[in-house]
Amino acid sequence: MQDPTYLILLALSDRPRHGYGILLEASELSRGTIRLGPGTLYGALERLEEAGHVELDREEIEEGRPRRYFRLTRRGRSLLVEETERREALVGLAKQRLAHR
Amino acid sequence: MSPLERRVRALISLFPASFRARWEEELVRTTLETCTAEQSWPHPRDAWDLVLSAIRAHATTPATEPFRLVLAQGIVLGAILLAGVRIGALLLRFGWFLRWLPANSAAGVPSEELALYAGPLALELAAYVLLAVALLHRRRVLLWTGALTLGAIGLLGTLRYPGPIGIRWALGMAVPGAIPFVMAACTMGTRKTERALAVRPALVGLALVSFAATAFRFAAWFATTTWHLVPGTIDRCATAVAALLLVACTVSGFADPRWFIALGVAVIGWNTRDFLQTSDPLVFLGTAVVVTVSWVHWRVLRRQAAGSGQGRSDREMA
């Protein structure tokens, strides 16, 4: 899983968010080091939605335009947990290796 | 609609139609939200991100439309690829001509060469520019001007070489050129086929493919002169690779069928020209392979489409 996808899942892990909300949260989570573009975001959302990891939470009309909120599905959450464990294991290995030097 | 929104929408129109049907308004809204009130252009980084994501979406979005639409899209894309390859090759040849000219102008500019070589090249390039403008602005007059220009080039060849050679030359010039025009005319004629579907990816595709074609021509020329190959070897190899790719993709069912139909159309169109002008049996063989494979591919797709119900999309079936 690439960083942008991981960040999107992570941004949705606490509560449903809309597109711009995900961008802001992802930027904050990565402390500004990763800045998602809108194209990347919706490309990833489509793939995640098709794979059943993310679903539509609700749709609101704001200023005459639709605003969709997305939430993590149970499958999405378990994918996020799995990926976090994988990343954690990798970081653990890296730390061990660096400590030996 | 603000200028900013218009520009953002123009970028978003690069995405495939199926993607836009689901995400367009959302994407517009979110992109606008990342801009400040003073901005009249999207941030270059976001614009680049949209373009790249659009290309990615085209390459990965499965063809969920009914089969006849997929086939139509594939053919349109193929015509666009062909036009791109043609423009790349033309630009390169024009460049060579300009380099060749000063060395030969000491003995007086050969006006016959100019009329024979540079004239048709410039006309054909102009015809493609007209095609692009006509498609973008939906101007029928421009479209037919472009088509007539190509016809005129053909005529020029027939006048220069009377008899069968001239006719062959004219056909070789007109057929590959005519394919994009016929496709463009059809796209404009049918209201059902979305214009954006054919035109927007075209602009990205054209730029990329002309660049790639120019690079390919140069590499082919370089390889031919360095290793003293028989002229045309590289073209045949490329045709073979394209045919093999088609076979591999057909067999494995990999990726979006539209791109492979497109590749088939482009290769056929490209080789038609060589075959008409040189009657080279190897070119004919290569073309025959590609035509056969495209046909098999088409049959496979048709069976799949029949299997999932005529006129209904896979998405609906799912």
Side-chain angles (χ1 to χ4, degrees), chain B residues 75-87:
Chain B
I75 294 173
V76 170
L77 277 174
I80 291 159
L81 281 178
L82 188 63
V85 172
R86 188 86 199 101
I87 291 172

Side-chain angles (χ1 to χ4, degrees), chain B residues 2 26 44 64 82 91 96 106 120 150 158 176 203 235 240 277 297 316 318:
Chain B
S2 68
E26 277 278 305
T64 48
L82 188 63
L91 281 175
W96 275 341
L150 275 185
T158 344
L203 295 178
D235 288 67
Q277 284 182 347
H297 193 201
E316 279 166 5

